[in-house]
Structure formats: structure tokens, C-alpha cells
Amino acid sequence: MQQKSGLGRPSFTDIDLKLLRIFAEIVRCNGFSAAQISLGMSQATISQQMRHLEERLGLRLCERGRAGFYLTEQGRQVHGAMLDLFGAIESFGTAIGDVRGELTGRLNFGTVDAMVTNRALGLDRAIGAFHQSAPKVSLDIDIAPPQALAQGLLTRRYEVALLPVRDALPGLDSRRAFSERQFLYCGQKHPLFGRPDGGITDAELARQAFAGRTYMPDERICGIDFQWSAQTAHMEGTLTLLLSGAFIGFLPDHFAAIPAREGQLRAIAPERLYFDDIFHIAFSPGRRNRTALLLADLIARECDMAGA
């Protein structure tokens, strides 16, 4: 990092921005090892790049080793300032597009998995309409668990995200989008698969191995205190656990529709064992720009048209 003559302040180069983006991804992944795939770098290369950044800044940003990965106090301050910098760069690109009367730049959008099969949502239609309206905007889509999406909005990893919300999201501006119904299922190999609903009691269900999700609180669901024996962050993980025949668990009806139709799954007492997830479109603080609003409006329009 070079010094500006007479000002005593560091001047940033493209190399510095590249190193900062590597740092941002390491923090997002919570460690060097976890960031290897998204960065496309070996752990040795990532370590080298981080040492280079720390040397250029003259600061120790993080500790890494057997004790795990964590930011130093200086690292936390640099990370916050770095996010402000990236936000300013994105805002600058958006402002230039506004002056030109066009939408440009990059939009970082996050969502949970298993959205493609939800035809009532029509996320694919909303994205298609978005590209037609803003063809010069580069759309970056990331699929992550709800906790990671909420945190990503706060850290400005995403400008806008679509996620299920149980309680209010502190510090985030959001609006209701749609509801998604989830039923209790078991796989073809499970002992309950061939049993009539009338003969399955809540007490018997409470004794079954239950596949929950990492972001669900371990509490009674539909009045049943399930026995949590496995958990996963994604619907595909839940489906895999159910197909094994070892677990029961909840899935969105649209996501379970095909395996249920093929006889691989069955809903257990669907008239009473279900709940609704309420999804919101949420914005990163201070990042509610024209492109984020456009995508949010198009998603909301598709939901309204479907009556989701």
C-alpha cells in the first residue's frame, strides 16, 4: 500500500482491493479452509495473500491456527471499514448508472434452497423479468441458510435476500412476500410409511428419530416434542435423510411433491401436522438501491399474481 505524498494517508491500488475482497470472503466463510472453494485458491495461497494484506496495512487482522479462526479487534475495525468501502463502490456504480439513466453494477441476492419447485413464488420468472429490465446489472445469487442470509445482510454481503422469518429482523428493513406450507413426511423405507394416519399417535411420533434443520429451534412442533436425531441446513439434506428411511421430518409441499408422487415419500396426518413458514424480502441497511428495489418489486409482483 503506497503513501500519498504530503498527506500521510495510504492510497489504495487494485491489488489492495483484491486482497480486501479475499479477506471479506474469508470472514464470510469463517476461515481459510472454508474459503478455498469459493475463492478457487489453496489454503497456502490464501494464507500468503492474507500475510501480504497485513503487511501492506501494518496490522494483524486475524488469528488462525488450532484454536480456530477469529478476527482481532483491529481486524473487526478493518472489516467494518472495508464493507463501507465496498458499499461506497457499489453505490458509486449505481449513481453513475442513475446519471446515465440506466441500471448498472452488481446486485448480490441471497435466498434459501428449494425455491425452484415453488411455482407459486415464481422466482425464475421474477429473475427473468429483472434481466429484461436491467440487462447491464450483474446478478450474483447465493443460496444459504436463513441465519447466514440475515448475517449477510447485516455485513452487506447481500443487498437483498429472500428468507423465512419467525421473528422481527433487528436492524433490517423487510416486507412480507409469501407463505410456504410444510408437512411431516417419512420415506418409503420407514416403519410408518404403510401405517394409516388414524393409527399413528403423537406419542409414537415423538419416539421416532426426527430430522430437523439447523435454524429451527429445538421446541415442540405441531404440539409434538420430536426426538431430534439429525439436522441439516438445507431442504435437500432433509429429503436425503427422509429417503434413508431412518427419520421423519418436515418439507415444503412443493419440494416433496415429486418424490411423494413417485411413492418415495408420504405425508403423515397432513390434515393436522403442518405449519406455515412466512417469507420476507429483506434489505441490507443502507443498501436499498434501485436495483435491489426492482428485484424485490418483481418478486412481490409474482407472489401477488400467484396469491402466494
Side-chain angles (χ1 to χ4, degrees):
M1 190 168 296
Q2 300 173 352
Q3 294 286 331
K4 281 187 177 179
S5 176
L7 292 179
R9 295 180 182 177
S11 61
F12 289 94
T13 67
D14 290 342
I15 294 176
D16 297 315
L17 290 174
K18 178 183 177 181
L19 293 173
L20 286 171
R21 293 194 183 280
I22 291 173
F23 177 45
E25 187 62 15
I26 292 170
V27 175
R28 188 181 76 84
C29 295
N30 196 35
F32 288 25
S33 179
Q36 289 181 81
I37 294 177
S38 58
L39 287 173
M41 300 177 179
S42 68
Q43 188 165 344
T45 300
I46 293 174
S47 296
Q48 182 183 41
Q49 299 281 24
M50 276 301 301
R51 283 196 300 271
H52 192 193
L53 176 61
E54 289 177 329
E55 289 171 0
R56 293 174 72 84
L57 292 176
L59 300 170
R60 180 71 171 177
L61 300 178
C62 59
E63 298 296 340
R64 53 270 196 189
R66 293 184 179 180
F69 171 85
Y70 62 92
L71 294 179
T72 64
E73 179 57 34
Q74 292 177 329
R76 283 192 289 270
Q77 293 182 37
V78 170
H79 184 257
M82 175 188 66
L83 294 176
D84 289 340
L85 171 63
F86 291 165
I89 292 172
E90 293 290 342
S91 297
F92 176 76
T94 301
I96 295 301
D98 288 345
V99 173
R100 293 173 175 169
E102 60 186 17
L103 294 175
T104 59
R106 177 179 296 275
L107 178 63
N108 296 295
F109 170 62
T111 181
V112 295
D113 66 332
M115 292 289 97
V116 172
T117 53
N118 190 339
R119 303 311 301 168
L121 166 61
L123 183 58
D124 56 334
R125 297 189 295 271
I127 290 174
F130 176 82
H131 181 68
Q132 286 186 339
S133 300
K136 294 184 178 181
V137 174
S138 177
L139 182 61
D140 185 350
I141 299 179
D142 189 35
I143 297 175
Q147 315 100 304
L149 293 174
Q151 183 63 26
L153 288 168
L154 291 172
T155 61
R156 304 177 190 177
R157 165 69 178 86
Y158 314 110
E159 280 83 32
V160 61
L162 185 64
L163 69 163
V165 176
R166 289 177 58 89
D167 302 305
L169 294 169
L172 297 178
D173 180 18
S174 68
R175 62 188 185 188
R176 191 183 190 278
F178 67 97
S179 64
E180 179 180 78
R181 181 149 293 184
Q182 304 218 13
F183 292 98
L184 182 66
Y185 291 91
C186 69
Q188 186 181 37
K189 302 173 185 177
H190 196 278
L192 296 180
F193 188 83
R195 296 268 304 279
D197 288 336
I200 302 175
T201 66
D202 288 358
E204 186 173 11
L205 290 172
R207 292 193 296 269
Q208 305 301 313
F210 178 76
R213 286 189 286 278
T214 54
Y215 53 87
M216 295 172 62
D218 185 358
E219 59 186 28
R220 298 174 73 87
I221 306 174
C222 299
I224 300 174
D225 188 11
F226 288 103
Q227 179 180 306
W228 284 56
S229 302
Q231 60 181 357
T232 175
H234 300 289
M235 300 299 175
E236 186 172 348
T238 301
L239 177 58
T240 301
L241 291 169
L242 299 187
L243 293 177
S244 75
F247 306 92
I248 61 174
F250 286 90
L251 285 174
D253 54 354
H254 60 83
F255 186 66
I258 293 179
R261 188 162 57 244
E262 294 176 347
Q264 297 177 291
L265 289 179
R266 67 157 285 196
I268 302 172
E271 73 286 347
R272 64 184 182 86
L273 297 178
Y274 67 85
F275 64 87
D276 292 326
D277 262 341
I278 307 301
F279 277 73
H280 280 233
I281 303 170
F283 299 90
S284 177
R287 304 293 293 280
R288 195 169 178 169
N289 54 43
R290 287 178 61 202
T291 54
L293 286 170
L294 174 61
L295 180 59
D297 288 342
L298 291 171
I299 293 173
R301 185 188 71 178
E302 290 295 334
C303 293
D304 290 341
M305 291 176 62

